[in-house]
């Protein structure tokens, strides 16, 4: 997704140094050896899902496309490489004209994935593809981890609204990416204004405990907030005594009070008490929002509580215990002759669970007679006729030009559909194996 195409106000800076040094030393050596121009195919995949997870969520694809388009070497970047002696002059001259001119295929953003799934396939010369490894993995590993946590929380919330509130718990730029990924995974809004500014995500927010403590009384604080933001605002009611705060909130805002927020205590018990009190006071339409270090398990435990929305911060932006997806970027095929289409499968041979499967792969998802997904099928040969219409990879970049640019809402909606097509056990929070097995047709 591109900011300029969507009328958004922020552009992406150069991403040329969002990389590891050995990408450049490999480039220099390949240029000198005459192998840099060999047609190559790299794939992004993970060998396993984080422990206990049933499925993964592809997120960050739009940010990857921005990163590829902005992988440029200006004089400042080239000067840094020259001054540090990282690469030689012939390599610097090559980098000065760098533009990715290859093809990229991938699972569309919001789709689910499983071990071995070729989430992204990057094709072009070895030289132009190898430089993109680190930035691609940086984006996909982070964003997909956040989206997977968000998806689990969304499933646990069973339709109740979710607010992303993690900006103060992570790096300021990671906070923006996290809000974007959370939206893909099913969240409805964010407290982070930079995310709203860049990606158009709905933003929300009212007040913290500091606002109440600023005033001489809680009543004064509530009056000031209602006078400023209107009766539809959300009042934070757990600074002092919750029961007294709820009575005061309804006295000041009336029965049209938008919502109350509870940020501490036994949320299940307090939510029931507050709901009963609001109803007795005639504020039957006033919503209850709960926060306080929630994760998917806490959200699920509140399923029977009269809660209307959840605000989630720390656990979301840290992937709920799994801040990365362990995705890798591996060369799986290269040209074996002057014919660029004469690709030779290649793969690392290793023990210790680091085996890779060579060859440019297609991916499809087999369904049962009820339309429920049952197998992730990967192959390197012809696609079986029964799976032709079930293929997952779509072209994102052709000849260096982005061909698939979509609004973020499309990815969000795609995820809802993809998750719904999985076996029902996919949304169980108990630990288990991937909900779909991976089958290879080689």
């Amino acid at each position: 997704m591109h900011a300029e195409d969507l009328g958004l106000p922020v552009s992406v800076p150069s991403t040329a140094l969002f990389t590891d040094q050995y990408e450049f030393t490999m480039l220099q050596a390949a240029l000198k050896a005459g192998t840099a121009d060999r047609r190559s195919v790299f794939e992004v995949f993970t060998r396993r899902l984080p422990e206990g997870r049933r499925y993964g969520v592809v997120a960050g694809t739009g940010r990857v496309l921005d990163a590829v388009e902005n992988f440029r070497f200006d004089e400042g970047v080239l000067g840094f490489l020259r001054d540090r002696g990282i690469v030689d002059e012939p390599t610097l001259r090559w980098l000065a004209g760098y533009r990715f001119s290859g093809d990229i295929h991938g699972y569309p953003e919001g789709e689910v994935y499983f071990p071995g799934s070729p989430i992204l396939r990057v094709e072009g010369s070895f030289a132009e593809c190898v430089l993109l490894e680190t930035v691609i993995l940086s984006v996909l590993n982070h964003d997909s981890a956040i989206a997977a946590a968000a998806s689990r929380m969304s499933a646990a919330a069973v339709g109740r609204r979710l607010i992303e509130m993690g900006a103060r718990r992570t790096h300021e730029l990671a906070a923006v990416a996290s809000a974007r990924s959370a939206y893909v995974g099913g969240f409805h809004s964010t407290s982070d204004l930079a995310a709203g500014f860049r990606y158009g995500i709905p933003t929300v927010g009212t007040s913290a405990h500091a606002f109440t403590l600023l005033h001489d009384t809680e009543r004064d604080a509530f009056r000031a907030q209602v006078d400023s933001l209107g009766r539809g605002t959300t009042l934070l009611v757990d600074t002092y005594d919750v029961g007294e705060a709820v009575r005061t909130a309804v006295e000041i805002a009336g029965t049209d009070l938008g919502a109350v927020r509870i940020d501490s205590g036994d949320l299940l018990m307090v939510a029931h008490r507050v709901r009963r009190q609001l109803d007795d006071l005639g504020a039957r339409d006033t919503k209850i929002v709960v926060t306080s270090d929630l994760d998917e398990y806490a959200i699920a435990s509140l399923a029977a509580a009269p809660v209307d929305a959840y605000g989630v911060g720390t656990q979301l932006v840290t992937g709920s215990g799994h801040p990365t997806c362990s995705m890798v970027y591996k060369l799986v095929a290269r040209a074996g002759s002057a014919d660029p289409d004469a690709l030779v499968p290649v793969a690392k041979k290793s023990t210790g669970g680091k085996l890779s499967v060579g060859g440019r792969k297609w991916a499809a998802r087999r369904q049962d007679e009820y339309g429920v997904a049952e197998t992730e099928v990967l192959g390197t040969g012809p696609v079986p006729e029964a799976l032709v219409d079930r293929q997952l990879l779509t072209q994102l970049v052709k000849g260096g030009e982005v061909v698939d640019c979509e609004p973020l809402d499309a990815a969000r909606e795609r995820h809802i559909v993809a998750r719904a097509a999985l076996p029902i056990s996919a949304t169980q929070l108990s630990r288990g194996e991937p909900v779909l097995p991976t089958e290879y047709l080689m």
Side-chain angles (χ1 to χ4, degrees):
M1 179 175 58
H2 308 284
E4 62 271 21
D5 291 336
L6 299 178
L8 300 179
V10 180
S11 60
V12 177
S14 170
T15 53
L17 293 182
F18 291 169
T19 189
D20 292 306
Q21 182 168 319
Y22 80 165
E23 315 291 8
F24 291 98
T25 55
M26 284 191 287
L27 168 65
Q28 178 176 303
L31 288 170
K32 189 168 293 187
T35 53
D37 289 333
R38 284 188 176 179
R39 182 77 178 180
S40 299
V41 180
F42 287 82
E43 288 179 353
V44 175
F45 62 93
T46 184
R47 296 183 176 96
R48 64 191 65 82
L49 298 180
E51 183 181 358
R53 294 288 169 89
R54 304 297 182 90
Y55 62 93
V57 181
V58 178
T61 308
R63 295 208 309 122
V64 164
L65 297 180
D66 283 341
V68 171
E69 284 197 316
N70 288 279
F71 207 90
R72 302 284 187 268
F73 294 84
D74 58 25
E75 286 303 316
V77 171
L78 293 171
F80 167 80
L81 297 174
R82 179 182 292 110
D83 293 344
R84 293 292 181 95
I86 293 171
V87 292
D88 58 20
E89 286 299 325
T91 305
L92 288 169
R93 289 194 294 271
W94 188 92
L95 290 171
Y98 180 88
R99 297 289 187 276
F100 180 73
S101 63
D103 301 330
I104 298 179
H105 293 75
Y107 280 38
E109 190 158 19
E111 184 57 84
V112 296
Y113 70 86
F114 298 91
S117 298
I119 296 162
L120 203 73
R121 188 174 74 216
V122 183
E123 300 185 48
S125 71
F126 176 84
E128 62 181 340
C129 294
V130 74
L131 291 179
L132 299 176
E133 174 182 7
T134 304
V135 70
I136 286 176
L137 289 179
S138 293
V139 172
L140 292 180
N141 266 313
H142 174 270
D143 289 23
S144 297
I146 306 306
S151 179
R152 285 163 60 85
M153 294 173 188
S154 173
V158 195
R160 293 173 175 175
R161 299 190 72 78
L162 289 161
I163 308 163
E164 186 280 315
M165 304 172 66
R168 63 190 63 190
R169 297 291 188 250
T170 188
H171 185 280
E172 66 273 16
L173 297 181
V176 181
S178 295
R180 182 187 185 282
S181 300
Y183 192 68
V184 171
F187 273 58
H188 300 86
S189 57
T190 178
S191 66
D192 190 278
L193 290 178
F197 182 64
R198 172 154 183 79
Y199 296 115
I201 301 170
T203 59
V204 297
T206 51
S207 68
H209 292 103
F211 185 77
T212 301
L213 296 170
L214 168 69
H215 292 80
D216 294 335
T217 68
E218 192 169 52
R219 178 177 295 274
D220 290 342
F222 287 176
R223 170 62 65 192
Q225 184 173 328
V226 171
D227 285 347
S228 175
L229 301 178
R231 295 171 181 265
T233 191
T234 298
L235 294 175
L236 181 58
V237 295
D238 72 327
T239 306
Y240 304 118
D241 178 86
V242 173
E244 181 61 31
V246 171
R247 279 192 295 274
T248 302
V250 176
E251 285 177 16
I252 291 172
T255 56
D256 294 331
L257 174 62
V260 295
R261 178 162 75 95
I262 307 166
D263 188 50
S264 59
D266 183 335
L267 296 179
L268 178 63
M269 178 185 69
V270 175
H272 276 288
R273 288 179 177 175
V274 168
R275 181 72 272 160
R276 189 180 311 115
Q277 186 179 12
L278 287 170
D279 290 348
D280 289 344
L281 293 170
R284 298 181 182 279
D285 294 328
T286 298
K287 308 297 184 185
I288 297 176
V289 180
V290 295
T291 52
S292 187
D293 206 26
L294 300 175
D295 62 10
E296 60 266 49
Y297 301 100
I299 291 170
S301 73
L302 291 168
V307 171
D308 299 286
Y310 306 93
V312 190
T314 303
Q315 294 302 317
L316 177 64
V317 299
T318 56
S320 195
H322 297 290
T324 181
C325 302
S326 298
M327 293 178 186
V328 294
Y329 182 95
K330 296 298 181 183
L331 181 66
V332 297
R334 62 165 177 83
S337 68
D339 180 0
D341 294 322
L343 293 175
V344 177
V346 294
K348 172 184 177 181
K349 292 184 178 180
S350 174
T351 57
K354 285 195 170 185
L355 287 174
S356 301
V357 178
R360 178 206 276 150
K361 297 171 200 68
W362 50 263
R365 191 164 296 148
R366 185 182 294 130
Q367 296 181 335
D368 65 16
E369 59 185 306
Y370 302 104
V372 178
E374 60 178 8
T375 310
E376 193 86 342
V377 186
L378 314 180
T380 56
V383 181
E385 186 175 347
L387 295 176
V388 169
D389 294 334
R390 300 292 180 189
Q391 294 187 77
L392 296 164
L393 291 165
T394 183
Q395 186 150 31
L396 304 171
V397 176
K398 182 176 182 179
E401 298 294 327
V402 173
V403 296
D404 189 0
C405 178
E406 62 181 12
L408 197 58
D409 279 324
R412 188 173 185 275
E413 291 166 7
R414 180 182 294 113
H415 177 63
I416 294 170
V417 173
R419 188 178 66 190
L422 295 176
I424 193 169
S425 58
T427 56
Q428 292 178 345
L429 296 181
S430 57
R431 293 185 179 276
E433 296 300 312
V435 73
L436 297 188
T438 302
E439 176 184 336
Y440 289 91
L441 300 179
M442 312 303 285

